[in-house]
Amino acid sequence: MTGIYDDPWAYELACSFRDVPAEVDALLGWCAEQGLAPGTALELAAGPAEHAREFARRGLAATALDLNPRMCAYAAREAERAGVELEVVEGDMTRFALDRRFDLVATMLDSTSHLMTLDAFVAHLRCAAAHLSPGGLHVIEMSHPRDRLGDDPSVSTGWTVERDGVRASVRWGEPSDRLDPVTQVADDRVTMTITGEGTEPRVVRDVVPYRFWTATELDAAVRLAGGLEAVAQYGDFGAGEDAVPLAGPGAWRMITLLRPR
């Protein structure tokens, strides 16, 4: 039996409520605000590498890195099918060593929740910093702290998506999936029911350990890693007049822009 991360097509379908082109618009808009016109981009813990593929569509020399070989194979196949050039590397986001630097390094979709310890988070940041060009940006998208600390979460644990005649009902976490107050880890139960034209009805089930990080812990990890400093934080994808403050009522993510010191 395989889990959600071993089924890249299903995982991408589950996340298809995201508007990846609009998110890349925001990422490039933030780069412009920081005086950066990126020509190279690296997506870490990329999974199906939707953001890296979108970077490639826009002419950036894009690389996607992920630990899961099935995700890597899927990302390479989808890039080829779309006719875009994408380098795919199988590797760990806490200990990778590529032979070049990148203008933009992105860790999206709360992939940092798979870093279970402060040491792992610091190692991730140090690796990212070592692969940044001078003046480059490392963008980290995390869940908003109110999802675990507040009484009114900004993200639902259940949603439905439809794409190409296929419908999926997703539940990512159940009310009984409690956050351990000591480790700050919750075992989120995932259930995805897939139906639609040309698709055999099936159910994907998994248990995904999730490590919750607070804003102050993120700040501590950055300071311990050294070499990076935060230059901006946002609560959603939007640049310029569309920017959403992290503490604003419309914030639903914690997005941090880091630059080399």
Side-chain angles (χ1 to χ4, degrees), residues 37-42 55 59-63 100-105 133:
T40 55
L42 169 64
F55 289 137
L60 279 71
T63 299
R100 61 207 174 281
R101 294 175 180 262
F102 301 85
D103 301 324
L104 175 61
V105 177
S133 301

Side-chain angles (χ1 to χ4, degrees), residues 10-39:
Y11 177 80
E12 185 177 68
L13 176 62
C15 297
S16 61
F17 66 92
R18 304 273 301 234
D19 188 343
V20 172
E23 292 176 3
V24 169
D25 284 342
L27 289 167
L28 296 179
W30 293 329
C31 287
E33 290 175 357
Q34 296 294 328
L36 176 65

Side-chain angles (χ1 to χ4, degrees), residues 26-165:
L27 289 167
L28 296 179
W30 293 329
C31 287
E33 290 175 357
Q34 296 294 328
L36 176 65
T40 55
L42 169 64
E43 183 180 5
L44 298 174
E50 288 186 275
H51 292 85
R53 282 185 269 149
E54 184 63 24
F55 289 137
R57 287 189 190 97
R58 300 185 187 210
L60 279 71
T63 299
L65 181 143
D66 197 88
L67 186 61
N68 189 310
R70 295 189 185 187
M71 285 289 190
C72 290
Y74 180 87
R77 186 167 59 249
E78 288 300 297
E80 182 178 5
R81 189 172 69 86
V84 298
E85 291 190 18
L86 176 68
E87 180 188 25
V88 179
V89 178
E90 185 179 331
D92 189 319
M93 65 174 163
T94 67
R95 52 177 188 273
F96 61 94
L98 306 179
D99 59 356
R100 61 207 174 281
R101 294 175 180 262
F102 301 85
D103 301 324
L104 175 61
V105 177
T107 307
M108 309 297 292
L109 277 80
D110 202 17
S111 292
T112 52
S113 67
H114 300 302
L115 301 171
M116 294 295 154
T117 66
L118 182 59
D119 286 345
F121 205 152
V122 168
H124 166 70
L125 292 170
R126 286 176 176 165
C127 273
H131 288 79
L132 270 181
S133 301
L137 276 181
H138 179 30
V139 180
I140 303 178
E141 178 207 349
M142 305 169 72
S143 63
H144 199 281
R146 74 162 58 97
D147 285 340
R148 296 287 177 169
L149 297 180
D151 296 326
D152 185 22
S154 55
V155 177
S156 173
T157 58
W159 66 91
T160 300
V161 291
E162 293 189 34
R163 188 178 67 177
D164 301 329

Side-chain angles (χ1 to χ4, degrees), residues 172-188:
W172 200 292
E174 299 291 344
S176 58
D177 296 339
R178 300 297 185 185
L179 185 73
D180 186 301
V182 176
T183 64
Q184 294 177 205
V185 175
D187 288 331
D188 285 349

